[in-house]
Amino acid sequence: LCSCRITVFRAKEQMWYRIRDEQLGWGNRTRGGVTVMRIPGTQPVLLRQPYVQEVAALLTNQLRMASERYALAYGEALAASL
C-alpha cells in the first residue's frame, strides 16, 4: 500500500455491469485516501469533445494542488527543480 492520495476520474454515467465501488477499487491500494472526480458522460466519451475539456480542467487543477502540497511538504526550491 502507498501512503499517497489517489485521484480517480470517473464517468457519472456507468454501465450496469461496471464495478459498483465508488473508488473503482483504488481505496484498497492506498492509506492516503481517494478523491473521486465525476465527469459527465460515459466512459467511452470521456476523452472526446466536449467532455475532454472538463477532464483537462480537472486534471490541471489536481496537478496544481498536488504541486502546491509537495512544495509545502518539501520546500519550494526542491519542487521548482522537478
Side-chain angles (χ1 to χ4, degrees):
L1 290 179
C2 73
S3 308
C4 61
R5 181 149 198 84
I6 295 174
T7 300
V8 173
F9 293 88
R10 180 182 178 134
K12 283 184 180 177
E13 301 168 34
Q14 294 290 315
M15 303 295 190
W16 65 270
Y17 53 83
R18 288 289 196 189
I19 186 172
R20 299 276 188 250
D21 178 14
E22 177 70 14
Q23 300 174 343
L24 300 176
W26 289 99
N28 297 332
R29 293 171 171 76
T30 184
R31 288 184 283 256
V34 177
T35 300
V36 178
M37 308 297 291
R38 292 209 162 262
I39 311 296
T42 59
Q43 186 70 29
V45 300
L46 285 185
L47 297 180
R48 295 186 184 152
Q49 294 292 350
Y51 308 107
V52 69
Q53 292 179 6
E54 184 164 350
V55 173
L58 289 169
L59 180 57
T60 298
N61 188 49
Q62 289 297 307
L63 290 170
R64 182 188 50 75
M65 290 188 321
S67 178
E68 289 170 1
R69 283 193 304 271
Y70 190 87
L72 287 173
Y74 299 104
E76 296 287 340
L78 182 58
S81 70
L82 297 178

